[in-house]
Every structure is written in C-alpha cells, then in structure tokens.
Amino acid sequence: MFTKGKLAVMILLFFAGIINYLDRSALSIAAPFITEDLELTATQMGIIFSSFSVGYAIFNFLGGVAADRYGAKLTLFVAMIVWSIFSGAIALAVGFTSLIIIRILFGMGEGPLSATINKMVNNWFPSDQRASAIGLANSGTPLGGAIAGPIVGFIAISYSWKLSFVLIMIIGFIWTIIWWKVVKEKPAETATEKKDITTEAAPREKKPLTFYLKQKTVLFTAFAFFAYNYILFFFLTWFPSYLIDARGVSVQEMSIVTVIPWVLGFIGLAAGGLVSDFVLRKFARKGVLFSRKVVLVTCLLASAICIGLAGLVTTTFSAVALVACSVFFLYLTGSIYWAIVQDVVDQSNVGSVGGFMHFLANTAGIIGPTLTGFLVDRSGTYTAAFLLAGGLAIFASLAVIRFVRPIKGSIVTGKDKTIAGN
C-alpha cells in the first residue's frame, strides 16, 4: 500500500492531525483555569468554544477550494502556520471578547486541514485504498486529543495554562518546515503509479461544482457528518467540564480520564476505513456506496445510543465507559464521509466538494457548544445535552439509509460500473 513517497505523505498527515487536535483540545482542558482567571460563565465559555467553528466552518470550504486551485501541499503549509500562531495567541487573551476573536482566527487556520488531507489522499492513492488511507491519516486527530489532557493539564498545574499554548505553537512551526521540504503534491507518473491513480471509482467526467452542491447524496452525507461533529464537539469542548462539575473529578484525574475515549477513537478512526475498504472488496457487486453506508449507519447509530445513555447513568465509571464507546463507534465512521465524496465526485472537484460538506458539518461546532452551555445554565445538569446529541445522530443515520445513493449520470469504470446512472 505504501511506497516511499506515500509513506512520507501518510506520516506527515498523521502528525498534522495530532497537532491539530492537540491545539484544538487544549482550550477545553485549560477551560477550568481560564474560566476562573477571566471570570467567565458557562454560557460565555460555550460561546467561546463555538466561536472556533465560525472561522473553521467557513474555511473548511474555502480551504477545499484552495486545495483544488493552488494544491494541497501549499494550502496545508499556510494553514498550519496560521493556526499555530493563533494557538499561541490564546496566551495573550485578556477577556471574553479577545478570546472570541483569537478563536475565530484560530479556527480559520485549522479549517483547511481535512479537505487538504482528502485531496492529498486522492492525489496519491487508488480508490480501493482511499477509505483506509483517509482513516489512517486522520487517526492522528484523536491521538492529539488523547495527549492534550496529560500535557496541558501537567503544564497548567505545574507552571501556567498560558505556557502550554506557546509550546504547542512551536511544535506546529517545526512541522511546517519538514512538510515543505519532504512532501510533493503528486507522485511522479511512472507506469505503476499512473495505473494506481487512474483506476478509480469516481466519475471521469468533470462536472461543475454547483452540480455536486445540489445533490442529495452530498447534502445528506453532510447532514450525517453534522451529527458526527455535534457529538464530537460536545465531547471535545464540554466533557472535561462535565467531569469536574457534574462528577466531582479533580483536574488531575480529568486530565487522565479524558485520554480513554481519545485512545478508543484513535483505534476506531484507523480501523473504520480498513473495514469499509474490506467490505468494498467483498461486496463489489453491490456498489461502492454499500460498503460506506454499512459502516456509517451501523456505527453512527451505536454512537448515538451510547452518548444518550451516558447522560442517564448515575456513576462516573458508567458515564466515562459509555462516552468512550460512543467516541469509538463515532470515529469508526470518520473516514466514510470523505470516502463517499471520493466515490461520487470527479478528481478536479474533490477538495471543493469535500470542503463544502465539511463546512455544513461544522456548523454543528457553532451550534452545539453554545446550546450545551445554555442548557447547562438553565437546567443545572448535562442530561438534556447528552440526549439531544444522541437523538440527532439517530435521525441522521436514518436519513443516510434513505437519501445517500449513487449520483445519476456518474461515469465510472471497472468493478464499480454497476453504480453508474442508478
């Protein structure tokens, strides 16, 4: 699966994901310290969590367009520099307003990551390896979330929460230097590589971007991705505070406990694409989307049930175990949304359509954290927030079954010809 060039791309994308979620998770880990130092309410903290997704969602789409137009290598290089700068700038925040501004700009920097990963995978890997490649490349993100707790928690307790953001910024700068020197936009077109890249299930015929943006398959895949992100942002932003406020867990214990769901998420994200590609090879006659939908629907439903139950149990152990299972099943679907885009979109539009889908999905990051903060302030508990996250994912799973289908008029070849024009 991996030539020398592919391996370098995969390793650096993997580490980009680690840095991305280390940066992103740092605020939720440091939130109890920031809330106390800057005298913020739960609603204000929810707005700050959500402000990240304002910039992030917009640049999901713009980053995808940039990856198609200027190349994924340059787009990700610039994005890493920008988000690293504004990750470090958190240390300069003096209040509610300044935190919002910094987080919006930070989100703008992180926005292009997933679309550029999708574009790089499309450039380097054939169709029957792409879900696996996307899953492995993105599996660094939950690992970044896993190490954020111990690292940021230790630095915040031992020194200052501000120092952790500065150190994370430096790590990002180091990555950009290696990325620019090592990675190429596309492999050299040797006979072997050219055969790999052109044997794909996606349409050969170039369609205008607007054609794809109106397709039910794209829109309802984005809706399922919205539900995925709603659960993910709920966990990413509020779970540490939930452990401290509702369960009485100390900051030290919280820093360790939050590692458990992230580790399971790492396993799930790495395995999800492999499972989907395995099902694709076993059931090729059923069409390429069959393997994607089997994994997506089954695992998103399981994640929904677990997160809903986590809000009803009475013990800390049960809540953590259920959230960990929810994150595991959730991340099993993580590569599938992107694989569907690869399956139904021509190569010249993969970045833009993937970015558009990611933009719609990440409006969940704007709505979810603020709504959770509001519910917590009004009800005094987290139960309603857990149930809402689970219910939304159940509804999205049913929508995928009904509406995600091959796009009419797609031109495909080889073993995937059975899906054309259905």
Side-chain angles (χ1 to χ4, degrees):
M1 179 176 179
F2 296 117
T3 61
K4 183 178 178 180
K6 288 179 180 178
L7 184 61
V9 169
M10 184 59 60
I11 290 173
L12 283 168
L13 290 178
F14 176 82
F15 277 99
I18 291 178
I19 296 168
N20 181 273
Y21 263 61
L22 175 61
D23 289 5
R24 196 185 305 188
S25 303
L27 186 69
S28 63
I29 301 299
F33 299 97
I34 296 173
T35 300
E36 182 178 353
D37 284 357
L38 303 183
E39 299 180 349
L40 303 172
T41 66
T43 299
Q44 287 178 316
M45 203 64 213
I47 294 171
I48 290 166
F49 284 142
S50 292
S51 64
F52 162 84
S53 291
V54 174
Y56 184 69
I58 294 170
F59 274 78
N60 291 158
F61 180 46
L62 295 181
V65 173
D68 281 336
R69 182 169 298 180
Y70 304 111
K73 177 182 176 178
L74 177 61
T75 302
L76 187 51
F77 174 78
V78 174
M80 178 70 81
I81 291 174
V82 172
W83 95 54
S84 296
I85 289 172
F86 287 103
S87 175
I90 294 291
L92 303 177
V94 294
F96 176 65
T97 302
S98 61
L99 263 176
I100 288 178
I101 294 171
I102 292 169
R103 288 294 285 183
I104 290 173
L105 295 171
F106 172 64
M108 291 167 62
E110 287 208 342
L113 175 68
S114 293
T116 52
I117 288 178
N118 204 40
K119 183 69 174 181
M120 286 298 286
V121 168
N122 188 266
N123 288 345
W124 281 85
F125 291 87
S127 60
D128 62 348
Q129 294 178 2
R130 285 179 185 159
S132 300
I134 293 167
L136 291 172
N138 281 297
S139 64
T141 57
L143 196 59
I147 65 176
I151 290 175
V152 177
F154 172 77
I155 295 173
I157 292 170
S158 303
Y159 303 100
S160 165
W161 63 266
K162 295 182 178 182
L163 179 61
S164 60
F165 291 94
V166 175
L167 294 176
I168 292 171
M169 175 183 69
I170 294 171
I171 293 171
F173 289 156
I174 294 171
W175 182 93
T176 59
I177 295 171
I178 300 171
W179 172 259
W180 193 254
K181 288 184 174 294
V182 171
V183 169
K184 296 180 180 179
E185 179 70 21
K186 292 183 179 181
E189 292 192 357
T190 63
T192 302
E193 289 287 358
K194 193 168 184 179
K195 182 179 179 181
D196 273 353
I197 294 170
T198 56
T199 307
E200 49 187 331
R204 307 287 183 143
E205 179 185 352
K206 183 177 179 179
K207 300 279 189 180
L209 177 59
T210 53
F211 168 80
Y212 291 112
L213 303 190
K214 297 181 289 186
Q215 298 300 316
K216 289 182 180 179
T217 293
V218 172
L219 295 174
F220 281 95
T221 299
F223 176 50
F225 207 178
F226 176 94
Y228 167 100
N229 274 308
Y230 193 97
I231 294 176
L232 180 59
F233 274 96
F234 173 60
F235 168 70
L236 181 66
T237 57
W238 280 108
F239 189 58
S241 297
Y242 161 77
L243 291 173
I244 292 172
D245 297 340
R247 297 295 178 181
V249 176
S250 68
V251 173
Q252 294 92 329
E253 291 171 329
M254 176 271 290
S255 298
I256 302 302
V257 168
T258 54
V259 172
I260 299 170
W262 284 123
V263 170
L264 288 178
F266 163 69
I267 296 170
L269 191 49
L274 296 170
V275 171
S276 180
D277 282 343
F278 173 78
V279 176
L280 170 59
R281 288 189 290 270
K282 288 293 184 181
F283 299 97
R285 291 186 178 182
K286 290 183 177 290
V288 67
L289 288 184
F290 175 80
S291 67
R292 313 307 189 200
K293 290 173 67 173
V294 165
V295 178
L296 196 163
V297 172
T298 303
C299 296
L300 191 57
L301 277 173
S303 178
I305 293 169
C306 289
I307 200 71
L309 290 175
L312 300 175
V313 295
T314 58
T315 67
T316 301
F317 175 82
S318 298
V320 171
L322 283 166
V323 169
C325 288
S326 179
V327 172
F328 172 72
F329 286 117
L330 188 73
Y331 269 118
L332 278 171
T333 73
S335 63
I336 309 304
Y337 312 97
W338 299 102
I340 289 174
V341 170
Q342 303 249 9
D343 293 333
V344 301
V345 176
D346 66 80
Q347 189 178 38
S348 63
N349 281 304
V350 162
S352 300
V353 176
F356 175 73
M357 175 191 70
H358 205 211
F359 157 71
L360 294 180
N362 276 290
T363 57
I366 301 172
I367 299 167
T370 298
L371 182 56
T372 298
F374 175 79
L375 291 173
V376 171
D377 270 346
R378 284 301 180 96
S379 67
T381 73
Y382 287 78
T383 301
F386 278 100
L387 293 175
L388 177 59
L392 183 63
I394 289 173
F395 185 52
S397 300
L398 298 176
V400 168
I401 295 173
R402 175 67 180 84
F403 294 108
V404 175
R405 301 175 181 275
I407 294 176
K408 291 183 178 182
S410 294
I411 299 176
V412 295
T413 60
K415 65 183 178 183
D416 298 299
K417 65 184 178 180
T418 55
I419 71 169
N422 287 349

